[in-house]
Amino acid sequence: MPNYDAHLLSGIVSYPLTVFIAFVLRDYAGIPFTISTFAMVIGYALYVLGADLPDMDHPNALIHRGTKPIVAVAVGSAVFMQSLGSINLGGEPLNVAAAWGVGTLAGVIAWYGFTVIMPKHRGIVHSLLFAAIYGALAFIMVEYGLSMARGEGLYVGFAAFSGYTLHLLLDREVSLV
């Protein structure tokens, strides 16, 4: 099975083929991709990330170890932001510190919870279903988070899905679920 370097380098070097396929799909199959320069750059990043992302279910994988702190910080920050207006212990310094305390506790729970909720290696995360979920999340991020055009979101979602699928093909384990 390919390792971290092989998955990522495969993503780095195969992206031009994905761009070409997207143009073919747009021009001959009528898929409404908007293949702008910015969409291609975002697509490249998510394509290469996707080329190793299925290994996030392996506790020793670099992508797992890198994803876990990002999830913990994101959860902790979101809980802090939600807690900030609802804690009133006196002055602002105490309220902010207490909200960070609640956020930190949520971050620690997310840290340990991330590994607990991950399915076994080469389980459901190694599937076309998760490739589609990754592509859908990329689309949502681009269209709604970055306020880019729908066609750009479709292209970026396609690129993300394609990079994730590349990993499955390299592992020679493509399953629907």
Side-chain angles (χ1 to χ4, degrees):
M1 294 293 138
N3 63 13
Y4 174 78
D5 286 347
H7 281 299
L8 289 178
L9 287 171
S10 295
I12 289 168
V13 301
S14 66
Y15 185 67
L17 178 60
T18 299
V19 173
F20 178 77
I21 291 169
F23 274 107
V24 169
L25 290 171
R26 184 194 71 186
D27 296 343
Y28 297 102
I31 304 217
F33 292 143
T34 301
I35 309 171
S36 67
T37 302
F38 192 52
M40 284 189 287
V41 169
I42 301 272
Y44 189 36
L46 294 178
Y47 180 85
V48 173
L49 176 64
D52 196 50
L53 199 56
D55 280 342
M56 74 178 158
D57 63 1
H58 191 292
N60 294 328
L62 183 59
I63 193 81
H64 176 91
R65 294 189 320 248
T67 304
K68 186 162 55 170
I70 292 169
V71 168
V73 168
V75 168
S77 297
V79 169
F80 159 74
M81 291 171 63
Q82 290 298 314
S83 301
L84 190 56
S86 39
I87 295 178
N88 188 3
L89 300 175
E92 182 182 21
L94 193 53
N95 294 342
V96 170
W100 270 119
V102 173
T104 300
L105 179 61
V108 169
I109 291 168
W111 175 271
Y112 289 106
F114 181 81
T115 300
V116 170
I117 65 168
M118 274 295 142
K120 67 180 178 71
H121 186 53
R122 298 204 196 286
I124 194 167
V125 176
H126 272 75
S127 70
L128 289 174
L129 171 64
F130 264 72
I133 290 169
Y134 179 58
L137 290 172
F139 167 78
I140 289 166
M141 177 195 73
V142 166
E143 184 169 351
Y144 298 103
L146 298 177
S147 300
M148 293 171 67
R150 174 156 290 171
E152 290 174 309
L154 289 172
Y155 170 75
V156 171
F158 169 75
F161 171 83
S162 298
Y164 202 102
T165 302
L166 173 66
H167 180 105
L168 303 176
L169 292 169
L170 290 171
D171 279 357
R172 295 187 180 128
E173 292 193 28
V174 179
S175 66
L176 291 176
V177 178

